[in-house]
Amino acid sequence: MNHRSLPGELHDDDRRPCAAPPSRHRPPRRPGWPRLSGLVAAAALAALGCGAGSSGQPAASASQPAAVMTPAQIAARATPAVVTIRGDGSLGAGFLIREDGWIATNFHVIAGIPDLKVVLWDESEHPVLEVLAFDEERDLAIVRIHAPRKLPLLPLGDSLAVRPGDPVVAIGHPLGLADTVSNGLVSAVRVVDPALTLLQISAPIAPGSSGGPLFNERGEVIGVAAAVATQGQNLNFGVPADYLKKLLVRPDPVPLSTFAAETAEEESALPAVKRSVPHHALTVLRGCTEGDLLVLARTMDGAIQVGSPLYNEGDFASCYHIYEGAALDMERRLGRACRGPKQALAEGRRKAAGLDDNAAQAWAMRDAFDGLLDVILRKVHGDAE
């Protein structure tokens, strides 16, 4: 839980099909999905009986607080305390644990990023001022913003009392879809090693959910969403809240800039690419409503925020599939009269499908997105052809 330096430095590089839009050239530094990947693999093996099993008898809760609530009741009460954490090419979740601006999240959501913004439920943005504490091995961190007023907070429950079969509710921003609520069960309590236990859950989570709260049926936070095992279906993992409680005992504040510099990592070499961004006339947006343009801008930006870290850590296939899925989603959601963007997205998918290299496929989709983002910006700015 101590502050430690890691090797690495920041590098600007425009060769990233999943980086932020052209108007924001600083590349992302951190993967947008957890550092717990190796531990998740161990937990998945444990689930198959090939490693450490679930804990024997979890400790009983010292008290029985509030009444049982439905997922809808938990969401209504908790959502105002769930935040979005954005950086260059990074998107994650967090939640307020003190009314004066203390926020819990994952270590991987904030590491290596010198400029982080927290978006509250009222859509106001607040810069992260400092990192109060972190535990890299368990992928947890606590950051602070300046609280403009007393903020809503979430109560921490007893994660030692969690048992397989208990209901669980997750709130996060999967693929940039803000405040998504999902529910399921605690599938198992996995002892990965003596220093780490994970909660295996069936509540769906995805990139963008990182750092979001996991609730028991009384609306208490019993874990922090951290990882998903892609080798199987619905194998999702959270870090127990009791590890977070330990971080709260001995905060050791450090400025965000210092923390970012010391947790930045060197990036692996990325393949050389050649950009081919289409230039659309404003007429391509003919028939599109403001709602259509909002769907386009938000969906593409969300996909970029999520896909960027995956590409930068060499997972070109996942980046491409996120882009492709976002394009299909937009084509389905756009109004019937909004034909131009639909055709542009379909053309991007067709071009990508004809390539046999995942990195090139990611670039083809990114080029399609950048062409549409450019024409939308020109329309918003009132440019004339």
Side-chain angles (χ1 to χ4, degrees):
M1 290 184 281
N2 295 325
H3 185 66
R4 295 182 295 160
S5 297
L6 295 176
E9 58 181 339
L10 299 175
H11 295 285
D12 286 339
D13 191 340
D14 290 331
R15 300 179 296 113
R16 301 175 184 182
C18 299
S23 58
R24 295 176 294 177
H25 289 293
R26 286 173 58 190
R29 281 296 307 138
R30 302 291 306 173
W33 203 228
R35 299 170 57 87
L36 288 174
S37 56
L39 300 177
V40 168
L45 288 174
L48 296 174
C50 302
S54 60
S55 60
Q57 294 295 327
S61 179
S63 62
Q64 294 297 328
V68 171
M69 295 189 289
T70 66
Q73 290 171 325
I74 292 172
R77 190 184 76 168
T79 298
V82 179
V83 306
T84 301
I85 301 178
R86 288 186 177 275
D88 286 338
S90 173
L91 172 69
F95 56 96
L96 287 150
I97 51 177
R98 276 188 25 171
E99 60 187 10
D100 56 350
W102 288 30
I103 295 166
T105 187
N106 288 139
F107 176 89
H108 78 264
V109 169
I110 66 168
I113 304 176
D115 183 17
L116 290 167
K117 295 289 191 304
V118 169
V119 184
L120 300 180
W121 66 274
D122 61 0
E123 299 187 0
S124 61
E125 292 190 2
H126 306 269
V128 171
L129 302 176
E130 57 188 359
V131 178
L132 297 170
F134 70 89
D135 182 347
E136 181 179 357
E137 299 306 317
R138 298 184 178 104
D139 200 17
L140 292 173
I142 300 172
V143 301
R144 184 179 71 85
I145 63 171
H146 172 71
R149 57 188 177 282
K150 287 187 177 180
L151 299 174
L153 55 85
L154 298 179
L156 299 180
D158 182 4
S159 59
L160 295 177
V162 172
R163 300 174 301 173
D166 283 347
V168 64
V169 173
I171 301 179
H173 317 304
L175 303 184
L177 301 173
D179 299 328
T180 295
V181 181
S182 60
N183 71 319
L185 299 176
V186 175
S187 303
V189 180
R190 301 288 176 193
V191 179
V192 179
D193 61 44
L196 178 65
T197 296
L198 294 177
L199 303 179
Q200 181 186 334
I201 62 172
S202 64
I205 59 176
S209 298
S210 294
L214 305 176
F215 300 92
N216 60 20
E217 60 186 351
R218 293 182 294 277
E220 300 165 325
V221 177
I222 46 88
V224 182
V228 60
T230 57
Q231 298 88 345
Q233 292 184 343
N234 232 12
L235 294 176
N236 310 308
F237 296 88
V239 182
D242 279 73
Y243 293 138
L244 186 60
K245 293 177 183 178
K246 295 177 182 178
L247 283 183
L248 288 167
V249 175
R250 294 181 180 177
D252 183 17
V254 64
L256 177 63
S257 58
T258 301
F259 173 83
E262 295 186 0
T263 56
E265 292 181 344
E266 292 185 11
E267 296 185 14
S268 58
L270 298 176
V273 293
K274 183 178 180 180
R275 298 300 306 263
S276 181
V277 179
H279 179 81
H280 299 293
L282 291 176
T283 53
V284 77
L285 301 179
R286 184 176 297 158
C288 299
T289 66
E290 289 187 4
D292 289 328
L293 298 185
L294 193 60
V295 166
L296 284 165
R298 285 184 173 177
T299 307
M300 287 187 290
D301 184 64
I304 288 167
Q305 294 284 350
V306 174
S308 168
L310 294 173
Y311 184 91
N312 290 339
E313 63 179 352
D315 191 352
F316 308 135
S318 292
C319 176
Y320 163 56
H321 290 310
I322 286 172
Y323 270 53
E324 182 186 39
L328 286 167
D329 180 58
M330 286 183 284
E331 290 175 53
R332 184 171 56 251
R333 293 168 61 195
L334 292 173
R336 183 176 300 178
C338 191
R339 297 187 183 91
K342 287 185 178 182
Q343 292 172 356
L345 292 168
E347 174 60 20
R349 289 192 298 105
R350 184 200 62 77
K351 180 179 178 181
L355 302 171
D356 56 7
D357 174 32
N358 290 145
Q361 289 176 314
W363 269 112
M365 293 306 305
R366 178 59 196 271
D367 286 345
F369 284 6
D370 280 356
L372 287 173
L373 286 169
D374 175 69
V375 72
I376 290 172
L377 286 173
R378 284 188 280 124
K379 180 176 177 62
V380 170
H381 293 159
D383 293 354
E385 292 290 331

